[in-house]
């Protein structure tokens, strides 16, 4: 990645039913096809207002961090295995592991990755006569497993990624 910016054209989400994985390149991940909405990830913190009766201005402190829900959509393919498994996860309430990768270019060899354990807490169809049918999901994150850079280039050592546990 060599200290350069990159366009947000290429993102992928992978899913696995194995929640014990600690590796960015875990062997059980399956790519979710036809991703149609950029998955927004990050953190948010509560703001704590602290009264201070010896000053005309109250102070504020930062509270605990949490990971907001991740909304994503796919262009629905009937009977496609990952689309159907995501729908089944929503119906059963089962936990899964999700890897979100923001690739630097279309070769998909270098990218920033985040791995989460979580639940699909909603799923629903949208579409219309002049649009593709999409299946919308909400991923509620239970735990951030690891983050890091995936580098599958020969100059990157072909390591397949480095990560840090959260």
């Amino acid at each position: 990645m060599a200290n350069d910016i990159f366009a947000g054209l290429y993102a992928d989400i992978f899913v696995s039913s194995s929640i014990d994985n600690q590796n960015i390149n875990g062997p059980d991940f399956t790519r979710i096809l036809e991703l149609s909405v950029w998955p927004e990830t990050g953190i948010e913190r509560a703001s704590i207002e602290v009264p201070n009766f010896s000053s005309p201005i109250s102070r504020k402190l930062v509270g605990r961090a949490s990971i907001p829900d991740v909304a994503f959509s796919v262009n629905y393919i009937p009977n496609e295995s990952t689309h159907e498994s995501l729908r089944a996860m929503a119906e059963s309430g089962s936990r899964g592991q999700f890897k979100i990768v923001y690739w630097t270019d279309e070769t998909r060899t270098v990218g920033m990755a985040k791995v989460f354990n979580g639940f699909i807490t909603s799923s629903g169809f949208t579409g219309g006569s002049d649009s593709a049918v999409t299946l919308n999901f909400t991923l509620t994150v239970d735990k951030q497993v690891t983050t890091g850079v995936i580098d599958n280039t020969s100059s990157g050592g072909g390591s397949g990624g480095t990560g840090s546990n959260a």
Side-chain angles (χ1 to χ4, degrees):
M1 220 158 22
N3 298 321
D4 204 355
I5 62 172
F6 60 98
L9 295 175
Y10 306 100
D12 282 321
I13 300 179
F14 300 80
V15 64
S16 171
S17 59
S18 174
I19 60 170
D20 296 328
N21 172 54
Q22 298 292 312
N23 186 336
I24 284 178
N25 289 326
D28 297 328
F29 284 117
T30 302
R31 183 173 165 231
I32 299 170
L33 300 176
E34 288 292 325
L35 188 64
S36 65
V37 170
W38 182 263
E40 183 178 330
T41 62
I43 65 165
E44 60 188 14
R45 290 188 173 272
S47 173
I48 304 166
E49 187 165 337
V50 181
N52 182 348
F53 297 106
S54 61
S55 173
I57 300 172
S58 293
R59 294 188 60 197
K60 290 189 179 181
L61 300 173
V62 68
R64 296 186 65 115
S66 64
I67 298 171
D69 291 349
V70 178
F72 67 97
S73 299
V74 297
N75 296 317
Y76 182 61
I77 303 170
N79 297 320
E80 198 283 317
S81 62
T82 55
H83 295 185
E84 297 307 321
S85 69
L86 290 168
R87 288 181 57 203
M89 288 176 73
E91 290 175 10
S92 69
S94 59
R95 181 181 284 126
Q97 191 165 87
F98 298 83
K99 175 172 65 171
I100 300 173
V101 183
Y102 305 107
W103 299 106
T104 60
D105 63 26
E106 68 182 315
T107 64
R108 288 177 160 83
T109 53
V110 177
M112 284 291 306
K114 296 181 179 195
V115 178
F116 303 111
N117 287 349
F119 304 90
I120 297 293
T121 54
S122 72
S123 71
F125 288 101
T126 58
S129 62
D130 293 331
S131 62
V133 173
T134 59
L135 186 51
N136 307 305
F137 297 102
T138 301
L139 166 62
T140 298
V141 175
D142 177 43
K143 175 184 177 185
Q144 182 169 302
V145 177
T146 189
T147 63
V149 174
I150 294 175
D151 186 350
N152 294 322
T153 63
S154 58
S155 63
S159 65
T162 59
S164 63
N165 292 336

